[in-house]
Amino acid sequence: MSSTIWSVDDHLEDILAAIRPLDPIDLQLPDAQGCVLVEDVTVPVALPPFDNSSMDGYAVRVADVAGASEEFPAVLTVIGDVAAGSGGLPTVGPGQAARIMTGAPLPPGAQAVVPVEWTDGGTGGGAATTMRPAGEAPEGGSGEVRVHRPAEEGAHVRSRGSDVQAGDLALAAGTVIGPPQIGLLAAIGRGTVRVRPRPRVVVLSTGSELVQPGERLAEGQIYDSNSFALAAAARDAGAISYRVGAVTDDAETLRATIEDQLIRADLLVTTGGVSVGAYDVVKEALASVGDEDVPGSGIDFRKLAMQPGKPQGFGSIGREHTPLLALPGNPVSSYVSFELFVRPAIRKLMGLPDVHRPTVRAALKADKALASPAGKRQFLRGTYDAESSSATPVGGSGSHLIAALAHADCLIVVPETATSVEPGADVDVVLLG
């Protein structure tokens, strides 16, 4: 344990300097969701790959419908159906039309599509409202359609390459792959992409007093909330998270559990057992894990000039030098520590350029001045109102007030230099949304 008091910024800088983005791998599209693309993806084929209809209607030649009106409709001979996916298309000659469905290729000879609503739909009656099923002979078997309006060349036709052209940049390296990106990749025929994988984060909570939710509490026991909150927070940050609930306060057991978990971890997070009590099992278990030949290996336990969250540990463990962050056990301290230190580490592993939550300036909304300890950066839970650009504290400053945390959507930052903040003063606010 170093006796130096670390600042929040120096501790975070130390963590980020030691963490390298994960190596890229090729993943199938469904598995790439949430991952960061490491290469530019160009379009191999134009989209759409052929001229196609944007309407249900009739594919026609422009000259045949020029001057058409309800009083004097253009009467065309229907030569066949063109459906989406059709091959072997009929050629539309003078005085002819082909029934065409939305998305179907424009047949040769045709220059435009007239929507079915501009025609009698082949019934010989008034304006149609819908296309009739393919192959159904028009009434009287005349095989004719009356068109009531003219159409310009290209009307209701999506031309080849109007979405993207072959060779265009589809997605740039650094893009986070979400549902629309997966849709685009599938549309241009890409089945796999090269990405940095989502980091695997193992969360372990320690404490013999912890009981899993759903079980009965005996005297002196509390429910394990930290492992649930932090595993969810890791998932929210973009990681694949594994929760190991409530390891008992025994250094050997904890060390064995951590070693077992290394096989599936890109990052380990422990909560509890890091302060200066007699049972600080995380410290005891991890005191001797360093490799003497590797600078920076092993876990360094520190005191930070912050509230809540003064005791922190950081280092690497195991043959692969897997990074480990040891957070305090108080629920609010652990959550605030996660937001400040673990989330940026996860984002760095993912290869994201911006690892930080957005910070805004807002006016403090409070009944009285807020006190803050000198020399410590204080993080208060709060709610942020974007309309009035103000932030209101929820709950007190205690590190155990987990109920207040559930109602907070921001952290109000009181700097190290301030011992009091007046209502209405401007403060930094970290948005957690």
Side-chain angles (χ1 to χ4, degrees), residues 19-25 35-36 38 194-201 238-240 264-267 320-323 345-352:
I19 284 179
R20 301 271 168 276
L22 297 174
D23 291 336
I25 57 172
C35 297
V36 178
V38 295
R194 195 153 185 77
V195 294
R196 293 195 196 278
R198 291 165 64 199
R200 298 162 305 158
V201 176
I240 294 165
R264 62 171 182 176
D266 297 307
L267 176 68
E320 304 286 320
H321 308 296
T322 305
I346 290 171
R347 312 284 286 174
K348 174 117 188 235
L349 285 168
M350 292 175 74
L352 287 163

Side-chain angles (χ1 to χ4, degrees), residues 364-381:
L364 178 67
K365 212 168 163 185
D367 301 332
K368 55 179 196 292
L370 299 182
S372 186
K376 285 188 175 181
R377 189 178 302 179
Q378 186 171 214
F379 294 90
L380 297 165
R381 280 78 73 209

Side-chain angles (χ1 to χ4, degrees), residues 1 59 168 176 194 252 261 293 299 303 334 372 400 426:
M1 176 98 184
D168 281 356
V176 180
R194 195 153 185 77
E252 277 313 304
Q261 294 298 326
D293 303 332
I299 310 298
K303 288 179 180 155
S334 77
S372 186
H400 58 284
D426 270 356

